[in-house]
Amino acid sequence: MGSTFFYTTLCFIAVTIVSFVVAVSGEEFKVGDAVGWRQPRVNETDLYNRWASKKKFHVGDSLRFEYKNDSVITVNKWEFYHCNRTHPASGAKDGNITVNLNRAGPFYFTSGDPEHCKNGQRLAVEVYPLHPISDSPPQPMSMAPAPSPLSSSSAVTSSVPLAFISVSLIAVVVAVIAGLA
């Protein structure tokens, strides 16, 4: 009876740990998908608004910006809507940056070039609390349209393989320990 309690407790702890890993492991989204981070053409100024409207971002996810001869800066809401980069929170010009979405709430990004921003190269995302444990597909987020930004993309990585491997490994360890008892 004592060993049954031990193995039941061990399994419970293992499942709890795996659930936590799944909940905090985020997805990485490539901004703009194949298009990347670039100045939208004249007829696609809502490119990044469309992209973000098809996603649901959670704390722990990240955005990967890939670009050439441009930049990305993190700004506040006013700077986003006015394409004003007077006091950017952060920025990068190296052509490839990943931004961790480390809190719930809105995040605002624009090109460091004010003209690119005015032409639609800006992104606003709403970040929700930690990922739910279920594997149900993300539901599209509805946001009021902004003066121009967002397109369509899919997640680059997922925590599901990690969860599967973790559960499998834990099952093997429990089986081995049970065989030794």
Side-chain angles (χ1 to χ4, degrees):
M1 179 167 154
S3 64
T4 303
F5 176 75
F6 172 75
Y7 295 122
T8 302
T9 304
L10 183 64
C11 286
F12 175 77
I13 291 170
V15 169
T16 303
I17 290 170
V18 169
S19 297
F20 178 75
V21 168
V22 170
V24 297
S25 296
E27 297 181 45
E28 181 178 278
F29 296 90
K30 179 182 175 190
V31 174
D33 291 324
V35 171
W37 182 246
R38 64 163 173 79
Q39 179 177 214
R41 294 182 183 92
V42 174
N43 62 346
E44 60 178 14
T45 55
D46 66 340
L47 173 71
Y48 296 105
N49 277 330
R50 285 192 330 266
W51 178 82
S53 71
K54 296 176 184 176
K55 311 287 178 243
K56 190 164 185 180
F57 306 99
H58 290 91
V59 171
D61 288 347
S62 58
L63 299 175
R64 191 175 77 244
F65 292 85
E66 291 182 4
Y67 50 92
K68 294 179 183 170
N69 302 318
D70 209 324
S71 60
V72 60
I73 57 176
T74 305
V75 295
N76 64 35
K77 185 176 182 177
W78 188 91
E79 292 168 328
F80 174 82
Y81 284 105
H82 293 92
C83 290
N84 180 319
R85 58 188 186 122
T86 308
H87 303 3
S90 65
K93 294 182 179 184
D94 67 2
N96 189 359
I97 184 170
T98 300
V99 176
N100 294 319
L101 303 174
N102 57 4
R103 62 172 172 77
F107 283 77
Y108 301 97
F109 307 94
T110 69
S111 168
D113 182 327
E115 287 304 310
H116 289 198
C117 177
K118 290 175 186 171
N119 293 330
Q121 191 178 0
R122 53 186 162 175
L123 171 66
V125 298
E126 183 67 29
V127 178
Y128 294 94
L130 291 176
H131 280 279
I133 293 176
S134 75
D135 284 343
S136 60
Q139 299 300 315
M141 165 180 85
S142 69
M143 257 176 60
S148 52
L150 330 181
S151 137
S152 65
S153 157
S154 60
V156 176
T157 61
S158 172
S159 61
V160 175
L162 176 63
F164 179 75
I165 291 167
S166 299
V167 169
S168 300
L169 182 61
I170 291 167
V172 169
V173 168
V174 168
V176 168
I177 292 173
L180 297 176

